[in-house]
């Protein structure tokens, strides 16, 4: 059985676990980051023509603090984010083709006749790409609802031994923060050493660039920036597992 190390936040591991176990893989939780909620004060949805949610987590934390109109026009980055919004009764949700900040920017400019001079609330983590900010054709205001901080997983010793013994077959980084968190746990030298053997998987081109900037190879970047995309690529590599 192939061992796959998942570095995403602890509370988000369960849904990924089911996906990988269904295909016969052994997913191992190794959360190198955690989320801390940022109190949201004075938000008025009438100030904005559209809301943009970059993740399911952003939606959850936002809705804990704001009673948003179900008819509000929303742009969701990612099919899971959109699905979660629809499941919560939102009626006007659209999705860019590419699940990234660059993909979202392209989507807005491809539909500029509809979006020109509109005001957007960008609901996401405090950290993230600034590619959408400071646009001339429309206004985007950052509404941070949580921040990402480094985390020390409980199973560091166990995972370190597995990495040293080459018993981890793939490591999945879902964001630049998860990779930086990995370095925070092990240091850069050990990170380079530990990631020589397993397949290094990056969800998104920004994550890929962050990993490569530290001199580390990236083996897999799925066409769709999702865990399902990672899973499909691993199945192709390990079709005899």
């Amino acid at each position: 059985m192939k061992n796959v190390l998942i570095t995403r936040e602890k509370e988000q591991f369960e849904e990924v676990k089911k996906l990988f176990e269904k295909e016969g893989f052994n997913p191992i939780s190794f959360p190198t980051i955690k989320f801390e909620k940022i109190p949201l004060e004075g938000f008025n949805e009438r100030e904005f023509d559209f809301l943009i949610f970059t993740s399911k987590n952003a939606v959850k934390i936002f809705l804990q603090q704001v009673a948003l109109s179900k008819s509000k026009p929303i742009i969701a980055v990612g099919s899971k984010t959109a699905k979660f919004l629809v499941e919560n009764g939102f009626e006007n949700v659209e999705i860019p083709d590419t699940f990234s900040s660059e993909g979202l920017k392209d989507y807005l400019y491809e539909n500029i006749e509809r979006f020109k001079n509109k005001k957007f609330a960008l609901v996401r983590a405090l950290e993230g790409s600034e590619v959408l900010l400071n646009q001339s054709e429309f206004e985007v205001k950052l509404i941070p609802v949580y921040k990402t901080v480094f985390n020390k997983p409980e199973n560091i010793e166990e995972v370190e031994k597995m990495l040293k013994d080459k018993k981890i077959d793939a490591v999945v980084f879902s964001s630049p923060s998860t990779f930086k968190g990995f370095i925070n746990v092990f240091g850069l030298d050990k990170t380079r050493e530990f990631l020589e053997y397993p397949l290094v998987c990056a969800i998104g081109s920004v994550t890929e660039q962050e990993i490569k900037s530290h001199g580390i190879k990236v083996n897999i970047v799925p066409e769709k920036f999702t865990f399902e995309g990672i899973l499909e690529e691993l199945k192709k590599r390990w079709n005899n597992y």
Side-chain angles (χ1 to χ4, degrees):
M1 182 181 289
K2 298 291 188 182
N3 294 318
V4 182
L5 198 67
I6 308 292
T7 58
R8 78 183 314 192
E9 200 265 347
K10 185 177 181 180
E11 291 182 6
Q12 298 182 321
F13 175 68
E14 282 305 314
E15 60 179 301
V16 175
K17 179 182 178 182
K18 292 174 184 176
L19 282 173
F20 280 77
E21 287 182 341
K22 185 178 179 182
E23 298 298 335
F25 300 146
N26 178 38
I28 300 168
S29 178
F30 193 68
T32 60
I33 60 170
K34 60 184 177 180
F35 301 139
E36 292 183 357
K37 184 165 71 174
I38 297 175
L40 193 58
E41 298 177 359
F43 179 85
N44 183 352
E45 70 171 273
R46 287 176 293 183
E47 292 180 19
F48 303 97
D49 300 294
F50 292 84
L51 268 67
I52 299 170
F53 288 101
T54 62
S55 68
K56 182 177 172 181
N57 191 60
V59 178
K60 282 183 178 179
I61 296 174
F62 181 84
L63 293 181
Q64 288 170 4
Q65 304 183 68
V66 175
L68 186 65
S69 168
K70 300 296 184 182
S71 61
K72 190 70 178 179
I74 295 173
I75 300 174
V77 180
S79 52
K80 288 186 178 179
T81 308
K83 181 182 177 184
F84 185 70
L85 283 159
V86 171
E87 288 172 349
N88 278 272
F90 291 94
E91 306 159 359
N92 194 359
V93 181
E94 52 190 300
I95 318 173
D97 292 331
T98 303
F99 303 162
S100 68
S101 296
E102 287 289 351
L104 177 54
K105 180 182 175 182
D106 290 344
Y107 179 77
L108 294 177
Y109 276 99
E110 286 164 6
N111 298 276
I112 195 61
E113 290 184 8
R114 185 155 63 95
F115 296 132
K116 188 176 178 63
N117 298 323
K118 300 298 184 183
K119 188 170 182 180
F120 298 82
L122 177 60
V123 185
R124 64 162 210 208
L126 179 63
E127 313 81 13
S129 170
E130 296 187 1
V131 71
L132 274 176
L133 305 179
N134 303 313
Q135 299 297 316
S136 59
E137 300 294 324
F138 45 81
E139 182 180 351
V140 179
K141 182 178 180 180
L142 177 61
I143 307 293
V145 291
Y146 66 94
K147 62 181 178 179
T148 305
V149 297
F150 293 144
N151 181 56
K152 294 285 188 183
E154 298 174 357
N155 54 344
I156 291 176
E157 290 185 8
E158 175 189 345
V159 167
E160 181 167 3
K161 186 176 188 309
M162 292 181 75
L163 287 163
K164 284 180 178 177
D165 294 342
K166 296 181 169 55
K167 291 184 178 179
I168 297 292
D169 301 288
V171 181
V172 182
F173 296 105
S174 55
S175 67
S177 295
T178 59
F179 174 72
K180 292 175 185 176
F182 195 91
I183 293 176
N184 184 62
V185 172
F186 293 120
L188 183 55
D189 289 343
K190 277 190 176 181
T191 293
R192 287 173 172 160
E193 175 190 341
F194 291 162
L195 296 182
E196 283 182 4
Y197 170 75
L199 293 175
V200 176
C201 309
I203 297 182
S205 53
V206 177
T207 307
E208 176 190 19
Q209 290 164 12
E210 180 65 35
I211 297 169
K212 285 184 172 179
S213 73
H214 289 79
I216 296 169
K217 71 183 188 316
V218 176
N219 303 99
I220 292 175
V221 183
E223 185 175 340
K224 286 284 188 182
F225 298 160
T226 63
F227 276 91
E228 288 84 352
I230 291 287
L231 189 56
E232 288 305 311
E233 292 300 321
L234 289 176
K235 286 164 64 178
K236 290 176 188 176
R237 298 283 186 116
W238 296 334
N239 58 1
N240 295 317
Y241 73 90

